[in-house]
Amino acid sequence: MFIDLGIVKLATPALLQGLQLTATISAIAIPLGIVIGTIAAYMADANRKALRAVALSYVELVRNIPFLILVYLSFFGLPKLGMHGSAFSIAIGTMAFYTGGYFCEILRAAFRSVPKGQIRAALSLGMSGWKIQRYVVVPQLFGFLIPPTVSLTIMMFKDTAVFSVMSLPELTYQSNLMTADTFAYLEVLGTTALIYWGASVVMETFGHAMEKRVRRWSHR
Amino acid sequence: MIDWFTDHGALKPFFDGVLQGAGVTLYTSSSAFVIGLLLGVVLMVIRVAGGPILRSLVIVYVSAMRGMPLLIQLLIAYYVLPPLLGINISPIAAGILALALNTTAYVSEILRGALSTIPLGQAASARALGMRPWQVWRFVLLPQIFHRAVPPLTNEYTVLLKASSLLSIIAVTELATVARNASLQSDLPLQIFAATAAVYFVMLWCASSVSRRIERHFSGLLPNVH
């Protein structure tokens, strides 16, 4: 079995173009999901029962439904409800929704890692709720947040491949087009796999570097 | 209510296929998980106790499996591997293979994480008591590793169950395929995919409650391990 480098060379520009869309979707949807997840996490710890119920059922929904089904539901279902949007914006919305559920869980676990006594101590010192978050809780969270957030980011980056079933021209879709054109499965799929792998390794390395920087701030 | 659902003609293809589809989903993810558990133990032992070459091979393998989308791995297992090896495999076998190879990497990392919480002195004292290396693994390390790894391992199983929906891409008739075909036939995507989501939800809910029970069972087994 020979690897035809000519086909690799031919396919690479289209694949890199796909990577650009993959990266764009991830770069918009994942931070958006982190914002949604943060809101959900504060809702899940709120005093109102209704808020808690909404946040917790959102998390359970995301954790127990495959991403593919959610993608089908939003791409085929939303137009039936009268919500029409471009494939790009539906992709962003779906991915942000999914990321948010997972990030909510990550953040809630991090909240639990800050001892309750510290918050009570801050309250008894007369700090306001916002000040407690700003000076006591949030600075301590980062050390706990970074490792799981990096793996969540890589997970969602890889999950963008699912959008290829909706003909969104991201990396996997471009790769499918190329294999349909050339039938060179080994070369095209191999190159695609290497591109994804490389991107994941870069993100992981970046995450480790960030982790090291943040560790300076923790006393333990 | 149930009559309305079953008699409602447009949804018939979905109700006809849903049980079988759920069965295929359970079958593929469970067999991949069993294979992944076995291979994961092997990879973890090599990663910890193997020579430098074998060890770096495992590191590269784990990084590759965790760095590529499962979808790409499925396509490779279905389109690239059979001609490369000169064999013919069914879509379902290719799907199980890809799922298993993928989960092996995650399982080996989970087990390695569990191993790192066991004091080093235990293996050393077992050796000092005259145990052979395989006996140290069999009687001292592996039982404790599995005990500690039950929660993340069961979590990995639910991840696998969800991920098996991607097998629909390589034409395995599991739950997601049944749903997509029924949706194309009936043009009722909202109802069908919502019902599919509900079926997955129930399956995953059951899986995680079983896992909680296993956890409780295990926590009574090894009282000295904490």
Side-chain angles (χ1 to χ4, degrees), chain A residues 63-64 80 102 158 197 200, chain B residues 63 66-67 162 187 204:
Chain A
R63 281 168 53 93
N64 289 315
K80 295 273 171 190
Y102 277 93
K158 290 190 293 173
W197 186 13
S200 301
Chain B
S63 164
R66 301 208 303 178
K162 280 197 282 182
D187 198 33
L204 285 155

Side-chain angles (χ1 to χ4, degrees), chain A residues 51-84:
Chain A
L51 285 181
R52 280 209 303 264
V54 169
L56 292 180
S57 33
Y58 163 54
V59 170
E60 285 302 320
L61 224 58
V62 165
R63 281 168 53 93
N64 289 315
I65 295 173
F67 187 57
L68 178 71
I69 300 300
L70 205 65
V71 167
Y72 281 150
L73 202 54
S74 44
F75 271 84
F76 295 126
L78 286 184
K80 295 273 171 190
L81 289 174
M83 293 166 76
H84 297 275

Side-chain angles (χ1 to χ4, degrees), chain B:
Chain B
M1 184 75 181
I2 289 176
D3 280 351
W4 180 84
F5 265 123
T6 43
D7 291 343
H8 200 62
L11 291 177
K12 198 171 179 298
F14 178 70
F15 287 110
D16 284 348
V18 66
L19 267 186
Q20 209 208 333
V24 175
T25 291
L26 270 181
Y27 166 69
T28 47
S29 48
S30 304
S31 28
F33 187 63
V34 172
I35 302 171
L37 268 184
L38 297 176
L39 289 180
V41 172
V42 176
L43 280 205
M44 184 271 291
V45 173
I46 294 176
R47 172 83 167 77
V48 175
I53 297 171
L54 277 178
R55 217 188 285 189
S56 33
L57 279 179
V58 171
I59 292 175
V60 171
Y61 175 81
V62 169
S63 164
M65 284 296 146
R66 301 208 303 178
M68 299 167 190
L70 180 63
L71 183 51
I72 298 289
Q73 292 166 358
L74 280 171
L75 293 175
I76 289 176
Y78 188 52
Y79 290 112
V80 179
L81 279 189
L84 204 61
L85 305 175
I87 50 168
N88 233 335
I89 56 176
S90 62
I92 197 163
I96 292 176
L97 179 72
L99 280 179
L101 291 182
N102 179 278
T103 201
T104 296
Y106 286 93
V107 166
S108 78
E109 285 297 284
I110 289 172
L111 296 179
R112 201 165 64 89
L115 174 67
S116 70
T117 64
I118 299 173
L120 284 173
Q122 290 200 14
S125 29
R127 289 289 283 149
L129 286 171
M131 281 183 161
R132 309 236 135 259
W134 73 266
Q135 285 176 315
V136 177
W137 282 106
R138 166 69 187 81
F139 296 108
V140 179
L141 297 177
L142 283 178
Q144 298 188 69
I145 289 175
F146 272 104
H147 173 255
R148 282 161 214 228
V150 166
L153 281 179
T154 49
N155 183 51
E156 177 62 20
Y157 177 69
T158 59
V159 171
L160 203 56
L161 194 73
K162 280 197 282 182
S164 71
S165 62
L166 289 177
L167 263 60
S168 58
I169 309 294
I170 55 170
V172 176
T173 12
E174 44 70 74
L175 194 46
T177 314
V178 170
R180 202 179 50 181
N181 291 344
S183 156
L184 289 175
Q185 279 178 38
S186 64
D187 198 33
L188 292 170
L190 210 55
Q191 290 86 330
I192 285 175
F193 289 124
T196 313
V199 174
Y200 270 111
F201 194 94
V202 169
M203 277 164 56
L204 285 155
W205 190 271
C206 292
S208 43
S209 65
V210 167
S211 79
R212 270 193 294 275
R213 187 161 295 183
I214 296 175
E215 243 166 82
R216 238 176 295 146
H217 175 71
F218 266 84
S219 62
L221 269 186
L222 290 170
N224 296 326
V225 182
H226 278 297

